[in-house]
Amino acid sequence: MATTQETTLSIGEVSELTGLSAHTLRFYEQEGLFVEAVRRNSAGRRLFTEQEVGWLRVCAKLRSSGMSLPDIRRYAELAREGQGTEAERFEILRRHEAKVTRQMADLQEALDVIKGKVALYAEHLAAGSADSLWRDGPTCPSTVPAGRQD
């Protein structure tokens, strides 16, 4: 019977693959964000599997999209508990999805305002009348009406 050995990666290799620093990887372990306990070799160095790298990529996206460490920790705890926790895990992800959707709408609105301002400045710079912009102070309407100077 042939045995298959699972490929393991060092903390440096995982750092390269995920873009997370070794310090962040140690911090994530300390904070209990891994679904499984991080294994170590005989010298005490951390060993990671491809599955853990995949989880870290998910964690990085959850963090970069604003999910709190306590929410990620809770999600990992529930995953460790396994069967019967699916509904709570789903709810954590659903709440975060709604939050990110709101953030994206807010960012799109901000981008629309910025694009309006850029167009206004481009128009005034081309006409040589940019010195009149901001004369009465800045405003931030959802869209900049034609002829508005701010």
Side-chain angles (χ1 to χ4, degrees):
M1 174 194 245
T3 61
T4 58
Q5 180 134 353
E6 186 175 37
T7 302
T8 56
L9 303 161
S10 70
I11 197 167
E13 292 167 322
V14 172
S15 179
E16 265 187 51
L17 288 169
T18 63
L20 299 170
S21 69
H23 174 77
T24 298
L25 295 170
R26 289 184 201 99
F27 176 75
Y28 278 17
E29 179 185 13
Q30 178 185 352
E31 290 296 309
L33 303 186
F34 285 92
V35 175
E36 302 288 331
V38 175
R39 293 180 293 163
R40 300 194 185 250
N41 65 16
S42 59
R45 293 202 163 100
R46 291 167 180 83
L47 299 173
F48 299 90
T49 64
E50 288 293 330
Q51 184 176 355
E52 289 163 328
V53 170
W55 168 244
L56 285 166
R57 286 182 174 132
V58 171
C59 279
K61 292 302 178 191
L62 294 174
R63 283 297 295 146
S64 71
S65 62
M67 184 180 273
S68 70
L69 289 175
D71 281 349
I72 297 172
R73 183 181 310 109
R74 181 64 184 149
Y75 184 88
E77 289 169 356
L78 292 166
R80 276 192 293 276
E81 290 174 25
Q83 191 173 12
T85 65
E86 298 86 357
E88 192 173 345
R89 284 184 270 161
F90 172 75
E91 185 57 27
I92 290 169
L93 293 173
R94 192 205 58 73
R95 276 194 321 264
H96 187 62
E97 177 187 39
K99 177 184 170 187
V100 171
T101 299
R102 285 189 307 274
Q103 289 173 327
M104 288 177 65
D106 289 346
L107 284 171
Q108 185 59 57
E109 186 177 320
L111 182 58
D112 292 344
V113 169
I114 293 165
K115 283 182 176 184
K117 292 242 179 243
V118 166
L120 179 69
Y121 269 78
E123 178 184 319
H124 279 272
L125 285 169
S129 59
D131 66 324
S132 66
L133 296 173
W134 283 63
R135 193 171 284 158
D136 298 323
T139 60
C140 190
S142 60
T143 58
V144 179
R148 183 83 186 239
Q149 296 185 355
D150 47 48

